[in-house]
Amino acid sequence: MPKVGMEPLRRKALIDAAVLAIGERGSLDVTMSEIATRAGVSAALAHHYFGGKDDLLEATMRHILRELGRDSVAALAGVSDPLGRVSAVIAVNFAHSQFRRETIAAWLAFYVEAQRSAPMRRLLRVYTRRLHSNLMSGLRELLPEREAERTAEGIAALIDGLYIRRALVDGAPDAASAVALVEDYLETRLARETART
């Protein structure tokens, strides 16, 4: 008989194992058995909790998005000035919980999977809308609407691009230089608008 309360712990262990397995492989080409072994459970139990690999991968993406959402809320709490809000959104996307080798590989694998999987595509749309909304919460007060929209799009593209570039190099991710690069872009956009007015 299964122990009461073990299901959430095992589900979390399987999700964490999926992130690590995807990170090592650099793709979604991992098996439920590999993930289950990493999590210390049987493949049958992994199938019991998630049905199939696609269900586990979707749950893993949802978990990463929940973590990012939670971190974003915490980063934005109490930040009232618009520039501070935009900077907080940029920084949280390069926080250690997101910008580490395994999670970067998982994000890239999910982007690729979204080309064929409607559920993954929906999840990535949720992410892009949330990022856009969080950026616009500060940018609207700093720039005219059209320029705010363009700047939010540029920042999002830089974040995605830095994840891709990070996946192609060896060594530990350098979050500070990534944040500095995006902040430089933001500063340039703001200076350009100031020069116009």
Side-chain angles (χ1 to χ4, degrees):
M1 183 118 116
K3 293 180 184 175
V4 175
M6 287 303 291
E7 181 175 349
L9 297 175
R10 288 184 175 148
R11 281 179 169 273
K12 174 76 166 68
L14 284 161
I15 287 169
D16 290 344
V19 170
L20 290 172
I22 293 165
E24 269 185 20
R25 187 73 49 90
S27 76
L28 298 181
D29 187 26
V30 294
T31 66
M32 282 291 268
S33 181
E34 289 175 79
I35 295 168
T37 299
R38 227 178 234 286
V41 301
S42 70
L45 194 59
H47 282 286
H48 170 74
Y49 287 140
F50 290 103
K53 181 176 135 181
D54 287 347
D55 297 324
L56 173 56
L57 295 176
E58 186 177 338
T60 301
M61 185 67 207
R62 285 182 186 281
H63 172 76
I64 290 171
L65 286 171
R66 267 193 308 275
E67 278 190 339
L68 180 58
R70 184 195 65 231
D71 291 350
S72 296
V73 168
L76 290 168
V79 180
S80 58
D81 70 289
L83 185 56
R85 290 185 68 75
V86 178
S87 291
V89 172
I90 292 168
V92 81
N93 278 277
F94 297 104
H96 178 70
S97 60
Q98 293 297 321
F99 202 61
R100 57 191 172 105
R101 191 179 59 80
E102 300 84 9
T103 309
I104 291 167
W107 271 105
L108 293 181
F110 289 129
Y111 266 102
V112 170
E113 185 67 11
Q115 299 301 305
R116 73 164 195 86
S117 166
M120 291 294 190
R121 195 164 34 257
R122 277 192 301 274
L123 289 175
L124 286 172
R125 281 190 191 126
V126 167
Y127 156 71
T128 57
R129 281 194 301 266
R130 186 181 300 154
L131 176 59
H132 183 79
S133 175
N134 285 340
L135 288 167
M136 288 298 290
S137 75
L139 289 171
R140 271 195 185 95
E141 297 180 50
L142 298 168
L143 296 165
E145 186 72 19
R146 183 169 179 268
E147 292 305 310
E149 292 279 352
R150 290 184 68 195
T151 303
E153 185 67 24
I155 290 171
L158 278 169
I159 290 169
D160 291 344
L162 286 165
Y163 269 70
I164 292 168
R165 290 183 66 95
R166 176 60 248 160
L168 301 175
V169 297
D170 293 327
D174 183 0
S177 68
V179 169
L181 185 63
V182 182
E183 288 282 351
D184 283 349
Y185 169 77
L186 174 61
E187 187 179 310
T188 301
R189 296 289 296 167
L190 294 174
R192 180 178 166 189
E193 186 58 32
T194 302
R196 280 184 185 167
T197 55

